[in-house]
Amino acid sequence: MKLFFYKTYLVLILLLCFFAIQTSVSQIKTDNQNPTVFIQNITPEKIEDNIEKILKNLTLEEKVAMCHAQSKFSTKGVPRLGIPEIWMSDGPHGVRAEISWDSWDYAGWTNDSITAFPALTCLAASFNPELSSQYGFSLGEEARYRKKDVLLGPGVNIYRTPMNGRNFEYMGEDPFLASTMVVPYIKGIQKNGVAACVKHFVLNNQEHWRDIINVEISDRALYEIYLPAFKAAVKEAGVWSLMGSYNKVRGQYACHNEMLNKILKTDWGFDGVVISDWSGAHTTRESALYGLDLEMGTGTDGLGTTTENHYQYYYLANPFLEALKKSEISESVVDDKVRRILRLMYRTNMNPNRPFGRMNNREHHDVARKIGVEGIVLLKNENNFFPIKDEKNITIAIIGENATRSMTAGGGSSELKPKFEVSPLEGLKQRYKNATLIHTMGYESGPSAYDKVISGKLNADSLKVKAVEFAKKADIVLFVGGLTKSHHQDSEGDDRLQYELPFGQVELLSEIQKVNKNIGMLLVTGNAVDMSWSGKVKGILQTWYLGSIAGHAIADVVSGDVNPSGKLPFSFPKKLEDNAAHSFGKLSYPGDGVNQYYKEDIFVGYRWHDTKKIAAQYAFGYGLSYTNFSLSNIKTDKNYYSENDLITISCDVNNTGSIDGAEVVQVYVGKPKSKVKRALKELKGFKKVHVNKEQSSSVSIKIPVSSLTFYDETISDWNLEKGEYIVYVGNTSNNISKKINITID
Ligand code: BGC
């Protein structure tokens, strides 16, 4: 009897364990698809009470110690009171490998290999905010697993020129697109109890002279083009930290600039922490008074070149303490900074309920692949060159260094150490089992950060000869070219030196074309490039930098397993002078070494191409599909609106082809007669919709009338003009299916 009792008891316990495991497994699955809200078991009011209590217990020395770094990526806590350190990491495409305490060298850990997610340009090209949410959530989980409290990203600097070495880390040229995509990314990260740190505030739109250049800009361009994505990060996503940029704005360094107090903290009510870019702080008084809360990266005699006590000499360290002690700066100034830092801690490392995170799991790789696949843009597809069938007796020559080059290495602070990285060649090999694949490098660019190859060691002529030989034997050539992540390419620290494709790729293409006309280009870049060679190829896929799963995502699209649906988040000008910033000459870009003037004003990207009628090679919002779409039945709910209304635009998206696919309906609005200069039209709404072959789907997009305001410099505020507006509905900024006139009264 006793035995029977124990046995039943045991079975019951086993059953309970089984159900518990099942529930937690299904919890993990649903978490990733639809992240549960991160639970804070203490009310905001209570947090503020606690912060005040802590403040009363802190000495001045302890308060100051919280306002600056104690190592390259951490700050000191207050052990006496159980206040932990804050640990940060770059961002924004994955959690960066562990950096040494006092130098920029990698620490050489063996447990810091992560998932590398696609670059933010690719995410923006997906035009899919749901994917942005999954990106943020998965990345936040990895950051949490790596015990990071702040993830240094996302970047939302606007794409002003294709020469900016850092465009690949940002979300394109349009403030509405960047705002829409950044909000779910931030919310996703923060659901893990990890702070996002939106960067670089503001006007860090080039890397050349980034530490010294002073940007002069009109209020309209500032408010309408360069600030909205930051504002959305603060007001809609509730971001917990923000990074100041290196450059100066209107004569003051951006890391300690009146804009931080006035616009960010007062007008937008930002209650988080302003963190300096690494070495972005320059004086104690200005750092203290003009909005900076936490100083990172400053070396006493350069970046990390001394190890002895140098954190003590930061502008917000001993010199700050001295100024406070002498009452040159009021204690309320340091209190405000500490309040913000403690608030960030309550949201992150002082919240006992935050989840533990996970890293390098199947779900994260799947999310990365989905984003990669949805962000790839089909730019050209003559005679349905793509997709390429996997057939016996077909030889595909894969030519180009980017077929095998690691693109998670390099690029600057966004460099990653993924657990694995599937190259385009590897991805295609795994997918194409019947066709014969042959590969040769074709050209050589030089070493990447991890390569042992020394530039110029390989003979350019023999590489070319072999490539032509391979092209001759092949039925199809896939040229995998573009840029690299090294200096003067798509990389932090400086800008590109040429708009054209580098390393002799165009010459090589011409040689290949003489022996094989069946060429498709897989363009691996984070930037627009000169495309005067586009006539030489039949198909072009813009494949960005896709991280761990690059090769699989590329193979998915090349093979047609997935129908491409990405749209360009920035314009590809035919030539550099067609870009607005460049058309105004050197003072506009890159400046004279001291100042630069954003002379194109609000006319950035397609706003310039449209208004000045300068056709782009590929326009903003452009991207083809393997099927055909048409928009019909396009209408607005009414013709007259008032200030607080929503404009509802509806249409049917018809997939008239024979393959399932997805299309992005884009709604732009323009004001033909205005008292101020205006772009012909501006993106105000979009929706991506999946439609099965030969089917239609109805789409409805709502635009608040209040979003049609312009920044009125005469009143220093937003202003809604009455009168006639035109609503443009299409699938590309320069392919509009219908224009509808409406009136705002
Ligand atoms: C970059 C930041 C980065 C920081 C820390 C700076 O050089 O501009 O984006 O977060 O370094 O690595």
Side-chain angles (χ1 to χ4, degrees):
M1 184 65 191
K2 215 173 181 180
L3 195 65
F4 173 76
F5 177 77
Y6 281 130
K7 272 187 183 163
T8 321
Y9 194 62
L10 197 69
V11 168
L12 268 175
I13 288 180
L14 283 173
L15 271 173
L16 274 175
C17 288
F18 176 75
F19 284 123
I21 290 167
Q22 283 301 304
T23 331
S24 70
V25 168
S26 68
Q27 180 68 22
I28 285 173
K29 282 187 188 143
T30 48
D31 267 5
N32 198 52
Q33 295 311 321
N34 187 8
T36 45
V37 177
F38 161 61
I39 296 164
Q40 176 67 279
N41 69 344
I42 168 170
T43 61
E45 295 72 31
K46 181 80 182 122
I47 289 178
E48 296 305 315
D49 276 0
N50 285 0
I51 288 174
E52 294 311 316
K53 280 184 200 141
I54 295 173
L55 261 180
K56 288 201 183 91
N57 278 293
L58 290 173
T59 65
L60 200 54
E61 283 75 8
E62 285 166 339
K63 289 179 189 173
V64 169
M66 291 175 73
C67 298
H68 61 87
Q70 65 159 355
S71 78
K72 276 274 168 259
F73 282 91
S74 71
T75 70
K76 230 189 200 108
V78 185
R80 182 177 70 85
L81 297 177
I83 296 171
E85 300 171 339
I86 298 177
W87 277 87
M88 312 180 189
S89 171
D90 285 302
H93 306 142
V95 190
R96 192 179 184 182
E98 215 56 38
I99 302 277
S100 299
W101 185 269
D102 268 332
S103 83
W104 285 106
D105 295 340
Y106 285 108
W109 289 16
T110 51
N111 59 354
D112 56 353
S113 306
I114 43 65
T115 306
F117 293 88
L120 290 194
T121 38
C122 173
L123 176 65
S126 77
F127 275 68
N128 186 344
E130 169 51 30
L131 285 185
S132 191
S133 165
Q134 293 183 25
Y135 190 132
F137 187 70
S138 309
L139 174 56
E141 284 193 317
E142 300 226 346
R144 179 65 190 104
Y145 193 83
R146 285 269 310 276
K147 298 193 166 39
K148 303 303 175 194
D149 309 308
V150 180
L151 196 275
L152 303 171
V156 288
N157 295 88
I158 289 291
Y159 188 111
R160 178 176 181 249
T161 153
M163 303 311 272
N164 180 11
R166 240 180 145 173
N167 279 335
F168 68 98
E169 284 188 66
Y170 304 140
M171 297 199 186
E173 71 186 23
D174 182 73
F176 179 77
L177 175 65
S179 305
T180 309
M181 297 303 285
V182 81
V183 170
Y185 176 107
I186 291 171
K187 285 185 175 169
I189 289 188
Q190 295 190 165
K191 275 177 183 145
N192 292 285
V194 173
C197 181
V198 65
K199 65 192 189 182
H200 308 86
F201 191 85
V202 59
L203 300 170
N204 181 189
N205 303 104
Q206 68 189 48
E207 288 295 286
H208 193 58
W209 291 325
R210 68 173 179 178
D211 302 318
I212 48 173
I213 201 76
N214 172 46
V215 179
E216 293 294 336
I217 187 174
S218 75
D219 263 353
R220 263 196 87 191
L222 177 67
Y223 278 89
E224 292 184 20
I225 307 291
Y226 297 98
L227 287 179
F230 288 101
K231 185 175 180 184
V234 172
K235 297 198 67 147
E236 289 171 46
V239 72
W240 295 336
S241 65
L242 169 142
M243 187 188 290
S245 60
Y246 285 129
N247 51 289
K248 289 181 180 171
V249 179
R250 296 173 173 165
Q252 279 181 320
Y253 280 106
C255 281
H256 31 74
N257 188 297
E258 277 160 82
M259 286 196 324
L260 294 169
N261 286 336
K262 155 98 182 61
I263 300 176
L264 179 73
K265 292 183 174 174
T266 309
D267 295 351
W268 300 349
F270 175 66
D271 67 358
V273 178
V274 174
I275 301 175
S276 72
D277 200 340
W278 271 233
S279 278
H282 296 269
T283 75
T284 293
R285 197 170 167 77
E286 286 173 74
S287 297
L289 298 181
Y290 294 143
L292 181 63
D293 300 310
L294 185 47
E295 180 188 0
M296 297 298 295
T298 317
T300 44
D301 55 358
L303 283 178
T305 47
T306 60
T307 49
E308 208 178 305
N309 282 335
H310 58 282
Y311 302 100
Q312 296 306 321
Y313 297 98
Y314 273 34
Y315 300 105
L316 285 187
N318 286 352
F320 185 31
L321 184 63
E322 289 309 305
L324 287 162
K325 279 185 176 160
K326 288 188 200 148
S327 300
E328 288 164 7
I329 294 172
S330 143
E331 193 165 344
S332 64
V333 170
V334 69
D335 284 353
D336 178 59
K337 299 184 196 310
V338 173
R339 249 182 222 116
R340 290 169 179 276
I341 293 166
L342 285 170
R343 197 174 293 129
L344 178 135
M345 288 180 158
Y346 269 105
R347 291 164 166 169
T348 58
N349 58 9
M350 296 206 320
N351 181 347
N353 293 336
R354 62 179 178 160
F356 294 108
R358 53 196 176 141
M359 188 167 89
N360 251 320
N361 45 315
R362 179 62 197 264
E363 289 87 344
H364 291 178
H365 301 150
D366 288 349
V367 165
R369 187 160 172 172
K370 258 195 284 177
I371 294 161
V373 164
E374 279 210 27
I376 290 176
V377 185
L378 178 62
L379 294 177
K380 178 173 181 179
N381 207 15
E382 204 177 297
N383 298 332
N384 295 330
F385 178 88
F386 292 116
I388 299 171
K389 289 206 184 96
D390 179 21
E391 285 172 338
K392 274 205 172 114
N393 308 324
I394 286 194
T395 301
I396 306 174
I398 297 166
I399 298 176
E401 192 193 55
N402 284 351
T404 51
R405 188 181 175 96
S406 164
M407 288 299 183
T408 52
S413 57
S414 64
E415 170 169 82
L416 293 171
K417 180 178 146 194
K419 191 164 178 195
F420 64 87
E421 179 176 354
V422 183
S423 69
L425 180 65
E426 187 52 36
L428 289 165
K429 270 187 181 165
Q430 287 188 26
R431 174 60 182 78
Y432 285 82
K433 298 283 187 220
N434 299 314
T436 306
L437 264 51
I438 52 177
H439 164 251
T440 183
M441 212 168 148
Y443 66 89
E444 181 219 9
S445 69
S448 75
Y450 293 148
D451 278 349
K452 298 273 182 312
V453 187
I454 305 299
S455 178
K457 271 280 161 81
L458 299 174
N459 182 308
D461 283 339
S462 61
L463 288 176
K464 198 194 288 174
V465 168
K466 192 160 177 201
V468 172
E469 202 180 286
F470 273 40
K472 231 186 251 173
K473 315 197 250 211
D475 302 290
I476 295 170
V477 174
L478 282 181
F479 192 105
V480 194
L483 303 176
T484 65
K485 302 281 276 303
S486 36
H487 194 54
H488 288 313
Q489 299 286 314
D490 277 329
S491 185
E492 183 181 337
D494 213 333
D495 286 350
R496 294 164 63 196
L497 299 176
Q498 60 181 80
Y499 186 46
E500 296 76 29
L501 278 181
F503 321 126
Q505 293 178 71
V506 179
E507 295 75 18
L508 179 61
L509 257 181
S510 304
E511 293 299 313
I512 291 175
Q513 204 221 8
K514 288 183 193 154
V515 299
N516 192 329
K517 304 254 176 292
N518 231 359
I519 310 174
M521 170 64 102
L522 306 183
L523 200 55
V524 183
T525 72
N527 249 322
V529 294
D530 175 282
M531 288 221 171
S532 37
W533 46 265
S534 65
K536 295 188 200 301
V537 301
K538 291 199 170 150
I540 307 175
L541 283 168
Q542 174 63 41
T543 70
W544 316 112
Y545 300 114
L546 299 179
S548 297
I549 48 63
H552 290 320
I554 287 172
D556 286 345
V557 173
V558 169
S559 65
D561 290 347
V562 184
N563 190 352
S565 60
K567 301 282 179 177
L568 288 181
F570 48 80
S571 323
F572 276 51
K574 287 190 176 150
K575 46 187 194 315
L576 203 50
E577 307 82 74
D578 289 352
N579 163 280
H582 291 267
S583 75
F584 287 97
K586 292 231 151 44
L587 264 188
S588 165
Y589 174 87
D592 61 8
V594 179
N595 295 307
Q596 82 177 131
Y597 302 86
Y598 280 27
K599 293 189 179 182
E600 76 285 5
D601 205 44
I602 55 167
F603 298 101
V604 175
Y606 69 88
R607 288 165 164 79
W608 173 257
H609 287 281
D610 266 9
T611 316
K612 301 289 171 187
K613 302 201 173 15
I614 301 171
Q617 175 80 32
Y618 295 113
F620 173 85
Y622 173 76
L624 301 169
S625 163
Y626 295 154
T627 188
N628 294 313
F629 287 105
S630 70
L631 305 184
S632 62
N633 218 0
I634 305 170
K635 49 183 188 286
T636 51
D637 56 337
K638 26 186 206 172
N639 294 105
Y640 290 87
Y641 295 89
S642 53
E643 180 169 23
N644 299 321
D645 282 348
L646 284 176
I647 307 167
T648 305
I649 297 104
S650 57
C651 70
D652 293 335
V653 182
N654 316 301
N655 182 342
T656 55
S658 52
I659 306 172
D660 299 349
E663 179 60 302
V664 179
V665 179
Q666 303 167 31
V667 182
Y668 299 81
V669 180
K671 172 111 188 61
K673 281 188 209 123
S674 170
K675 60 181 181 196
V676 289
K677 57 188 179 184
R678 293 223 187 204
L680 182 74
K681 59 185 190 300
E682 300 180 312
L683 185 71
K684 295 291 174 188
F686 63 84
K687 193 169 268 177
K688 189 171 208 173
V689 53
H690 187 95
V691 190
N692 288 345
K693 60 184 175 189
E694 293 159 19
Q695 301 286 309
S696 295
S697 179
S698 306
V699 167
S700 134
I701 294 172
K702 291 191 189 307
I703 297 176
V705 167
S706 57
S707 74
L708 305 184
T709 49
F710 71 98
Y711 191 81
D712 190 340
E713 293 177 341
T714 63
I715 54 168
S716 297
D717 205 351
W718 295 92
N719 193 348
L720 180 68
E721 265 187 301
K722 287 182 190 170
E724 238 182 72
Y725 287 74
I726 302 177
V727 176
Y728 302 78
V729 185
N731 72 347
T732 304
S733 62
N734 69 355
N735 186 28
I736 297 303
S737 307
K738 187 161 180 178
K739 295 185 205 170
I740 303 170
N741 286 56
I742 58 162
T743 305
I744 311 282
D745 202 354

